[in-house]
Amino acid sequence: MSALEYALAAAPPPYDTREYDDLFRISSEDATWMAVSLITNAEREGDGAKRLWSLAACSRHDTEQHLLKTHAVDESRHALYYLRLLDIAFPGITDPAFRVKLQALSPRFGMEQDLFPVEGSPYAKVPTIDDFIQMNIAEIRTTIHHLMQRKALRKHCDDVAFGRIEPLLDALLRDELRHVGYTADLIENFARQMVTGELQKLMTRRISDFNQITHDELGNAVFDCHVECCAKRPWCRQKAQPVLPVSRDVR
Ligand SMILES: [Fe+2]
Ligand SMILES: [Fe+2]
């Protein structure tokens, strides 16, 4: 937790700002945008499942392997959940033939299946603390996105449709929080064998990388972040202001 707090102070992410939430809220008012966003989420969950399946296949520890396999099965199921959200919130928005193809976004992994490294996957390797840090950060952002999606979907659904959607959303949130928790536990275990400061450096680098990825995904959008504005947020319009000395600002 202290490494995460250090990293967040050194490289504040965009996705915890009110302005990021506003960007999502305004974009998501458009039904097509929201539908595409759900499909993109299904694709990401499916890709994530394949990466996790490969990592699990190469893990050398039984507990870690079981956790990774469970995670892969969760993400595999989530890909299908997102498609169900699409069907309920936006019935008929996709071409029927395309909709059938979307089912393939989930690799449909199950706990009863034997693990295998997915062919050609760069994740067919023994998992390291670096992998778990990147997963932890991604899962935190997924959880934040989930909360924004929930509010957006409420606006696109009547009470009956939202009543069908809510249990899926609750299951997604429960799983994502579990993913944040178990990756944090594994990081904690690895960290015991690390030199002080090493984890802070690695965490800061990965938070910073992920900030850049998020910024790229936003199409390099620049917005004002008057709340908690900080010269270390390069996407803030106010960045032209004098940069605070690092020593004053980094805990
Ligand atoms: Fe997920
Ligand atoms: Fe997840």
Side-chain angles (χ1 to χ4, degrees):
M1 183 56 82
S2 71
L4 181 61
E5 282 172 353
Y6 178 94
L8 291 174
Y15 43 87
D16 71 336
T17 60
R18 191 185 63 196
E19 287 65 24
Y20 186 84
D21 188 70
D22 285 346
L23 270 184
F24 188 93
R25 182 177 48 75
I26 293 162
S27 305
S28 66
E29 282 167 5
D30 180 73
T32 307
W33 187 95
M34 192 61 206
V36 170
S37 166
L38 292 173
I39 295 170
T40 306
N41 274 277
E43 186 181 20
R44 280 188 185 164
E45 298 280 341
D47 287 346
K50 286 182 214 151
R51 287 188 206 132
L52 290 157
W53 195 256
S54 294
L55 277 175
C58 300
S59 170
R60 292 179 185 150
H61 301 279
D62 289 349
T63 310
E64 182 189 270
Q65 183 171 71
H66 179 77
L67 289 165
L68 282 166
K69 187 178 183 183
T70 308
H71 191 170
V73 172
D74 287 347
E75 305 300 23
S76 196
R77 189 175 60 249
H78 291 179
L80 297 175
Y81 279 8
Y82 275 106
L83 295 175
R84 273 164 66 189
L85 294 179
L86 176 75
D87 292 341
I88 299 169
F90 306 104
I93 202 165
T94 50
D95 170 74
F98 178 62
R99 176 62 190 85
V100 170
K101 280 190 191 160
L102 291 178
Q103 285 302 104
L105 290 177
S106 169
R108 293 169 184 263
F109 293 133
M111 291 307 283
E112 71 292 345
Q113 277 177 263
D114 289 333
L115 289 164
F116 55 87
V118 175
E119 213 183 300
S121 171
Y123 294 88
K125 64 181 191 68
V126 176
T128 63
I129 186 170
D130 195 11
D131 294 309
F132 291 113
I133 287 175
Q134 292 181 57
M135 284 158 61
N136 184 256
I137 297 166
E139 295 293 338
I140 291 171
R141 192 186 70 162
T142 301
T143 307
I144 293 171
H145 277 168
H146 172 90
L147 298 173
M148 296 191 294
Q149 277 164 355
R150 184 179 283 253
K151 283 189 279 180
L153 283 167
R154 185 69 195 91
K155 288 192 196 157
H156 285 285
C157 295
D158 59 23
D159 289 349
V160 174
F162 197 72
R164 292 172 64 206
I165 271 180
E166 213 166 16
L168 292 171
L169 292 174
D170 289 344
L172 279 168
L173 181 58
R174 205 164 39 237
D175 288 346
E176 300 306 358
L177 287 171
R178 195 157 38 77
H179 300 159
V180 174
Y182 98 86
T183 49
D185 269 345
L186 291 175
I187 293 167
E188 190 79 34
N189 287 341
F190 275 104
R192 293 202 179 99
Q193 294 130 40
M194 288 177 86
V195 178
T196 313
E198 210 180 312
L199 181 61
Q200 283 182 343
K201 262 195 247 162
L202 187 54
M203 188 76 92
T204 306
R205 192 165 94 226
R206 290 312 184 194
I207 287 265
S208 188
D209 291 347
F210 209 71
N211 289 351
Q212 189 56 50
I213 292 168
T214 306
H215 187 46
D216 293 346
E217 284 171 0
L218 287 173
N220 297 320
V222 175
F223 51 90
D224 294 316
C225 58
H226 5 75
V227 178
E228 297 170 40
C229 182
C230 167
K232 285 176 284 180
R233 296 184 197 265
W235 47 87
C236 178
R237 236 189 291 268
Q238 300 176 54
K239 69 181 175 176
Q241 291 179 351
V243 176
L244 295 171
V246 171
S247 59
R248 271 185 57 193
D249 228 25
V250 178
R251 283 189 286 266

